[in-house]
Amino acid sequence: MNEILNNIPDQGWEILEQSRSRGWVLEPMAKSFMEMTGLDIPKFYLGSSSSRAGEFLKQCKSGVVAKCVSSQILHKTEYGAVRVGIHNQDQLKEAFRHFKLLPGFEEVLVEEMLSGVELLVGAKIDYQFGPVIVMGIGGTGVEVYKDTTIRMAPLKPGDVLSMVNSLIGKDIISGHRGQQGVDMDVLTRVLVQFSHTVMEMEDRIESIDLNPVICTPDRCVVADARIILASEE
Amino acid sequence: MDYNSLFRPSTMAVIGVSTSQGSHPANVIYNKNHLRYPVKVFPVNPKGGTLSREVLYKSVEDIPEPVDLAVIAVRSRFVPEVMEQCIRKGVKGAVVISGGFAEVGNQDIQDRMVELSRQANFPFIGPNCLGIFSPHAVDTFFLPGERIIHPKKGNVGFISQSGGVLIDQMVKFAGQGIGISSAVSIGNKAMVREADLLQWFANDPQTAVIAFYIEGFEQGEGRTFVQLVEQCNKPVIVLKAGKSEQGVSAVSSHTASLAGDYRVFSEVMAQHCVAEALNEYELTSFAEALSCYPEGSKGNVGIVSLSGGHGAVSADACAQHGLSLPSPSPETVEAIKTRLGEQVRDIVSLNNPIDLTGSVTDRDLVTTARHLSRDDGIDCILMLLLPYSPGVSADIGAKLARVYQDEGKPMIAYVPNEDKYAIIIEGFELNNIPVASSVEGAVMMAKALKRCTP
């Protein structure tokens, strides 16, 4: 009934396959997966060399964010595994020093800092309805504000408009008090595309968090991604 | 699948009547259909002989005529065998009212029934259910007729997982003058399930509105259900039980935690234009409103009242339910004002809600309703009719109903539900205008009309 697009390339399926034993996909790979399926991700450096990261910092005018990559840390904020607003080499070196002490440290992901409207875009495989898409006001307070809305996938462009309109924070998305809002065409394309990707991976996943997706007036960028794989029974 | 033989049978067998116990469920069903419905009924019990001077058949296969519907009320362990007899006889379908299946752990018997019925293309409702009530056609409820309140025949189809909710909702429908096409309790829904009945009611010419009481869907069944709703051009109402969220045990993602079972259910229903009733009052109001106006409206309500207080209370309720009260156009206000009687012309308030005051007459009410109906900014009119004013006659219901017949704009009335005002209520309802017994109920009806179409 619903046309399944072949959104996911072979390398994407490989990422899911490689993550099976862990049960979830590490952030750099999850983002790489999202990029392969047509979504925008930030410019980044991935590695453990703070001097190479320093070179990357010089290219980023508005600073960087550094995140610890660890297969033992699913929720980074709770471990202090994220440092935002890094503007100089000292701050960066300090972040590296701290991360290397965290459990399961593997690498550091350093990304350009973006500012804009922070959204949550998520997916869940619902028992009764199959793949559903969640969208709402994102960031670390997402479960505090619970300003989210749900639709069954795949989404039609009209669904995206109705999702935005059903949020309490819809004015944040359309732009208020002189703040620039979100480009609805870009947001629509991102959500529709994501919903088709989710349809394709229904059997493989339990849920996905893209939180935040940072929307500037012309881009929607997946700033963090978490893919929880379906448990194997 | 074709369930016509189940919902409107010409002949039926009641299998498992008792020869000694007159109040046995099967005997209740046999008696009420035999005595009061236009269906030819055959009692069946292996002992044979007679039952109340009628032939008691030893097996359904002994019945000398074709049988449309079999009501099976034998003990669970005998049901598969009886079902095989029905299939051999060429019975077109069954209602299995017996309990003692999956609900008490006897999944194997239930699975055997499903297997038999699928092989033979033999639909059955239940087990562990009340079955079917179609006014003037058939009634498989094992409750004595004198204990039940029967709604009149109408165009609302009602499907309930629970028999108790079904029978209680019948009382509420009857109390509000809502008529039903057919009502069915599906119990364990082993074979015939919500989605199957949605399809049948969608094609049933006697049904204009389809209402459900749902406890839950099996895996992926909710998706099938809403996809069928998209192809159905009749309004669908759902009352969901089990709204409280069980905490997600191991919270792995924000999304999994935010998208609990009920939230997903509720939002996906809205996405597919299903009217979700939050409680039995809304279910009743939605069914009544949509049975009169299945086409719906945009939710711009015009309120006409005889009291400022009723206007204010209804305006608050509209705001709470997401309905808007646009001001009537200056042309509408002018048209009404010039035609109002002198006794009220200078004391009315013609904003929305319109307050015509207690000095109003029938003529003022009709004029106001007529010109408000012609205002393009208003797509539904609430008439809050307080029948205490001396200028309001007993004919006001029928008179206002004529405005709807002429102008075609949905109208909803509030009249206190008292015997004294029955003639006003009937004046509306016999002319297809829904009447609520509370202001809140009238607003709920307006809310039902604000629906998208899939």
Side-chain angles (χ1 to χ4, degrees):
Chain A
M1 182 173 232
N2 299 302
E3 185 193 352
I4 301 284
L5 307 172
N6 270 319
N7 251 351
I8 305 176
D10 290 347
Q11 305 99 294
W13 293 116
E14 277 164 29
I15 287 177
L16 300 182
E17 193 56 36
Q18 286 160 14
S19 309
R20 262 170 61 173
S21 59
R22 193 184 303 107
W24 54 282
V25 182
L26 283 171
E27 181 185 349
M29 286 157 86
K31 274 182 168 153
S32 164
F33 180 92
M34 291 303 152
E35 189 182 30
M36 287 173 199
T37 57
L39 304 192
D40 200 355
I41 63 170
K43 282 191 297 182
F44 67 95
Y45 160 78
L46 177 65
S48 15
S49 155
S50 60
S51 57
R52 299 268 295 277
E55 293 301 310
F56 176 75
L57 169 62
K58 286 178 193 162
Q59 301 160 28
C60 297
K61 292 189 194 73
S62 40
V64 296
V65 50
K67 297 186 240 186
C68 175
V69 177
S70 159
S71 58
Q72 293 175 35
I73 301 178
L74 178 58
H75 293 277
K76 290 187 283 289
T77 309
E78 290 157 24
Y79 282 85
V82 182
R83 292 284 170 93
V84 298
I86 295 174
H87 291 280
N88 61 50
Q89 302 293 336
D90 288 346
Q91 288 171 315
L92 192 59
K93 283 191 182 124
E94 162 51 27
F96 269 70
R97 243 193 319 274
H98 172 71
F99 289 165
K100 284 178 178 170
L101 301 172
L102 291 176
F105 170 82
E106 289 173 23
E107 289 175 301
V108 179
L109 177 63
V110 183
E111 294 176 332
E112 59 175 329
M113 277 283 284
L114 296 161
S115 61
V117 176
E118 296 198 354
L119 301 178
L120 165 102
V121 174
K124 177 194 159 186
I125 310 305
D126 183 79
Y127 180 76
Q128 300 180 79
F129 296 95
V132 297
I133 304 298
V134 177
M135 195 270 280
I137 302 303
T140 51
V142 64
E143 287 193 48
V144 177
Y145 297 115
K146 292 192 167 75
D147 189 12
T148 53
T149 180
I150 304 166
R151 297 290 184 275
M152 197 170 89
L155 302 180
K156 298 194 254 314
D159 291 324
V160 179
L161 187 62
S162 102
M163 288 176 98
V164 170
N165 284 332
S166 63
L167 295 175
I168 298 166
K170 64 182 173 195
D171 291 353
I172 293 173
I173 294 175
S174 57
H176 79 136
R177 297 172 75 97
Q179 299 291 310
Q180 288 207 283
V182 172
D183 184 321
M184 274 304 293
D185 289 342
V186 174
L187 181 62
T188 302
R189 190 187 61 73
V190 164
L191 277 166
V192 171
Q193 177 98 348
F194 175 64
S195 77
H196 283 282
T197 305
V198 171
M199 289 303 293
E200 245 183 289
M201 56 203 300
E202 175 177 358
D203 299 336
R204 304 290 288 275
I205 58 163
E206 182 236 81
S207 59
I208 299 177
D209 279 345
L210 309 180
N211 182 33
V213 171
I214 299 178
C215 288
T216 68
D218 57 356
R219 292 172 75 189
C220 281
V221 185
V222 178
D224 197 354
R226 179 183 301 146
I227 301 174
I228 313 282
L229 300 173
S231 60
E232 293 175 28
E233 284 158 29
Chain B
M1 199 175 245
D2 180 12
Y3 302 142
N4 286 317
S5 305
L6 278 77
F7 283 95
R8 282 139 210 166
S10 302
T11 53
M12 82 194 253
V14 180
I15 305 171
V17 292
S18 167
T19 51
S20 55
Q21 192 195 339
S23 62
H24 186 279
N27 296 57
V28 172
I29 296 168
Y30 170 77
N31 281 333
K32 62 160 67 166
N33 286 282
H34 178 57
L35 299 174
R36 294 192 290 278
Y37 286 87
V39 52
K40 195 164 181 185
V41 195
F42 305 97
V44 178
N45 181 305
K47 288 178 191 155
T50 60
L51 181 76
S52 303
R53 293 176 287 120
E54 300 284 336
V55 179
L56 184 54
Y57 294 90
K58 288 186 176 176
S59 157
V60 68
E61 293 181 87
D62 296 341
I63 296 170
E65 292 182 41
V67 174
D68 287 339
L69 168 67
V71 175
I72 301 176
V74 300
R75 282 200 200 137
S76 57
R77 64 178 187 275
F78 301 122
V79 169
E81 188 191 330
V82 167
M83 209 172 232
E84 283 177 301
Q85 293 165 359
C86 290
I87 290 166
R88 281 199 300 270
K89 165 73 181 162
V91 177
K92 299 198 182 104
V95 169
V96 183
I97 65 166
S98 319
F101 299 90
E103 80 280 9
V104 294
N106 289 331
Q107 185 69 45
D108 52 331
I109 309 180
Q110 192 167 307
D111 290 346
R112 174 75 187 128
M113 290 155 64
V114 173
E115 191 189 327
L116 283 172
S117 75
R118 290 216 191 287
Q119 279 169 4
N121 213 6
F122 176 79
F124 74 92
I125 307 278
N128 187 29
C129 70
L130 283 181
I132 294 168
F133 168 56
S134 297
H136 309 318
V138 69
D139 179 357
T140 76
F141 295 177
F142 53 80
L143 309 163
E146 67 274 17
R147 285 185 182 265
I148 316 181
I149 294 178
H150 295 97
K152 64 183 184 186
K153 184 160 176 58
N155 61 11
V156 177
F158 187 51
I159 300 104
S160 173
Q161 188 169 343
S162 154
V165 169
L166 177 68
I167 201 77
D168 207 41
Q169 196 62 42
M170 295 295 98
V171 177
K172 293 177 174 83
F173 283 169
Q176 291 300 315
I178 301 167
I180 62 164
S181 53
S182 283
V184 52
S185 116
I186 54 180
N188 293 7
K189 49 181 181 175
M191 191 211 180
V192 176
R193 303 177 67 85
E194 286 90 349
D196 305 306
L197 290 164
L198 173 61
Q199 282 179 291
W200 185 79
F201 278 100
N203 291 316
D204 174 33
Q206 298 185 22
T207 300
V209 179
I210 310 169
F212 287 88
Y213 166 80
I214 291 178
E215 292 178 358
F217 289 120
E218 287 302 315
Q219 186 167 17
E221 211 180 16
R223 178 169 285 261
T224 309
F225 183 85
V226 293
Q227 284 169 342
L228 289 168
V229 168
E230 280 192 322
Q231 297 158 29
C232 167
N233 55 11
K234 299 174 183 177
V236 177
I237 304 166
V238 165
L239 174 63
K240 170 82 168 74
K243 297 189 180 73
S244 51
E245 296 291 357
Q246 307 295 322
V248 182
S249 48
V251 176
S252 46
S253 67
H254 293 303
T255 300
S257 146
L258 290 162
D261 292 345
Y262 173 64
R263 273 206 66 198
V264 171
F265 180 95
S266 181
E267 298 205 32
V268 171
M269 287 296 151
Q271 178 187 6
H272 294 87
C273 303
V274 175
E276 189 197 351
L278 297 179
N279 50 50
E280 61 191 39
Y281 304 107
E282 283 201 343
L283 176 60
T284 307
S285 299
F286 287 10
E288 184 169 5
L290 289 168
S291 72
C292 296
Y293 309 118
E295 67 282 2
S297 81
K298 292 207 262 324
N300 297 312
V301 178
I303 298 174
V304 181
S305 171
L306 282 61
S307 129
H310 283 77
V313 167
S314 59
D316 287 348
C318 283
Q320 195 195 336
H321 289 291
L323 300 169
S324 42
L325 303 180
S327 295
S329 71
E331 295 76 24
T332 303
V333 172
E334 186 61 24
I336 295 171
K337 186 141 201 167
T338 54
R339 289 171 176 82
L340 284 177
E342 273 178 28
Q343 85 290 358
V344 291
R345 190 177 298 152
D346 298 322
I347 56 172
V348 296
S349 165
L350 295 179
N351 293 318
N352 195 3
I354 291 176
D355 175 11
L356 294 177
T357 80
S359 305
V360 73
T361 63
D362 282 8
R363 193 174 156 275
D364 299 321
L365 281 162
V366 168
T367 294
T368 304
R370 188 173 299 284
H371 290 278
L372 203 55
S373 294
R374 292 175 185 172
D375 192 315
D376 291 336
I378 306 279
D379 41 48
C380 169
I381 295 176
L382 286 195
M383 297 297 304
L384 306 181
L385 211 67
L386 308 178
Y388 324 114
S389 297
V392 176
S393 85
D395 296 329
I396 189 63
K399 285 181 185 169
L400 284 169
R402 205 168 308 131
V403 174
Y404 165 68
Q405 305 299 343
D406 291 345
E407 308 293 337
K409 189 142 291 182
M411 181 187 288
I412 293 163
Y414 156 64
V415 183
N417 191 10
E418 295 294 334
D419 288 348
K420 190 181 277 193
Y421 312 125
I423 192 166
I424 300 180
I425 296 171
E426 282 191 18
F428 282 116
E429 286 184 343
L430 292 177
N431 294 297
N432 222 21
I433 305 292
V435 179
S437 54
S438 68
V439 173
E440 178 87 14
V443 172
M444 281 180 195
M445 287 186 185
K447 179 188 178 184
L449 300 194
K450 184 187 175 184
R451 60 182 291 262
C452 58
T453 37

